[in-house]
Structures are given as C-alpha cells and as structure tokens.
Amino acid sequence: MQEATIKRTIHYNMAIVGGFMAGYAILNRGDMANAQTLNLIRLTMSVLSLNWRSALIYLGAAILYFSATCLTVLIIRKTHKDVQLVCVGIEFVSVILMSTFPAEMNPFLAMYPIFFCMAFQWNSFKGADGNVCSSIFSTNNLKQTAISLTDYFCDHETKHLVRARFYCLVILSFHLGVAMAWVSL
C-alpha cells in the first residue's frame, strides 16, 4: 500500500474516532465537546452573569484543550515519540476513564477527557495528501468540499475532484463515527 494511501486511511479512521467522541458527548452528556468556540462563549456568558462556578467549569475545559495543544507541540519538538501513537494511547485512556463516570455526573465535567483528547487528536492528525483537514469536526471539511467542487466546475481540473473526494470521505468517516455512537447506546 502506498504511503499516501496509508495516511489517508489513518486519517479516515481518526475521523471515525472524532465522530464517535462527538456523538458520545451529545448522546450521553447532552453537549458538544469538540466545539471549543461554544465553550468559550459559555465561559464569557458565565463571567458576565457572575456565575463563577459555571465559569470555572468552562475555564477548566479551555485549559485542558489548551494544554493538550501545547503538549502535542512539546512532544513533536522535544522528544522522539510518535505523536500520533501517543494520541491513540491518550484516546484509549480517555475512553476507559469516561466509561467509569456515573451517568448522573455533571455532564460537562464528564466530557473533560474529550476536551483533552480531541485537541490532542486535532494537532496530531492534521490531514493527508497536503490537505489540512480536521478529523474532529466536519464544518471546514464541508466548506473545503464545496470549494473543491466549485473549482472543478469552473476549470474542470481533476485535482479538484480528488481533493473533494478526500474531504467527502473524511466527512463520511466522521459521521460514521457519530452513527457508531448512536448504535452503541
């Protein structure tokens, strides 16, 4: 198997994991864990409403996300460890940890492992074939698909179809992971 094909296949599989984690968060904890923008908005609103307990919980999620991002950079720059392999280990530990959380636990706190491992995944699996591509959410991938298809219809260059196919398969992989979370209920 060619190296490019292997990297694409790995990226599709990591998108399945990203989709599963997103689906788990929504289905089991009633919230989105991959969307740090939403958490930062909630942090701001909590501060403005002087709800300090809530603000601290959202701040904790942001700190975990920030820390995971920093850790990926440190591993890449300061060690010889394979950051992608470390990522898979972190995700394994996160899933095991989350399986021990009681159903009645604060749903947002129960997603703390997801905040950490999804940030770590996003920085460890940045794309394939020269395409920068998130494996933990699909909005930008949908945008890139639309751009690629529009480019193809404008100039009929096959490279745009190849790019669109890559992003479509990442989107499908991500949502396969969401479906797997749904089935696992």
Side-chain angles (χ1 to χ4, degrees):
M1 193 181 276
Q2 293 178 330
E3 184 178 343
T5 303
I6 292 169
K7 287 185 177 189
R8 278 193 309 273
T9 302
I10 290 170
H11 198 78
Y12 299 146
N13 281 290
M14 293 312 295
I16 292 170
V17 172
F20 183 87
M21 292 294 209
Y24 166 86
I26 291 168
L27 293 168
N28 292 294
R29 299 300 177 174
D31 211 342
M32 293 178 59
N34 294 8
Q36 263 315 297
T37 300
L38 177 60
N39 298 331
L40 293 173
I41 290 169
R42 288 177 175 161
L43 171 60
T44 302
M45 292 177 172
S46 295
V47 168
L48 293 173
S49 65
L50 305 177
N51 184 342
W52 302 115
R53 181 180 179 277
S54 180
L56 286 174
I57 290 171
Y58 293 125
L59 179 62
I63 289 170
L64 282 170
Y65 202 88
F66 187 89
S67 299
T69 300
C70 293
L71 184 57
T72 59
V73 173
L74 290 173
I75 288 171
I76 291 167
R77 292 185 62 155
K78 301 291 184 183
T79 75
H80 298 340
K81 294 186 186 317
D82 180 342
V83 72
Q84 292 181 340
L85 190 57
V86 172
C87 178
V88 171
I90 286 172
E91 293 195 16
F92 178 76
V93 170
S94 296
V95 169
I96 297 299
L97 181 63
M98 288 185 305
S99 74
T100 67
F101 293 163
E104 62 277 354
M105 181 178 180
N106 177 307
F108 200 80
L109 289 174
M111 293 188 304
Y112 268 27
I114 295 176
F115 293 123
F116 188 85
C117 73
M118 288 296 97
F120 203 97
Q121 180 177 326
W122 193 10
N123 290 293
S124 300
F125 295 90
K126 299 176 182 181
D129 291 339
N131 298 306
V132 176
C133 179
S134 173
S135 60
I136 68 163
F137 53 83
S138 55
T139 308
N140 189 59
N141 298 334
L142 183 61
K143 173 188 147 190
Q144 295 302 327
T145 302
I147 290 169
S148 299
L149 289 174
T150 304
D151 283 341
Y152 175 75
F153 289 118
C154 289
D155 62 23
H156 302 290
E157 291 185 33
T158 307
K159 68 180 181 181
H160 300 304
L161 282 181
V162 171
R163 189 168 186 261
R165 179 179 183 272
F166 170 75
Y167 282 104
C168 279
L169 288 173
V170 173
I171 293 167
L172 288 172
S173 297
F174 179 86
H175 291 283
L176 174 61
V178 173
M180 290 168 72
W182 174 269
V183 170
S184 71
L185 279 177

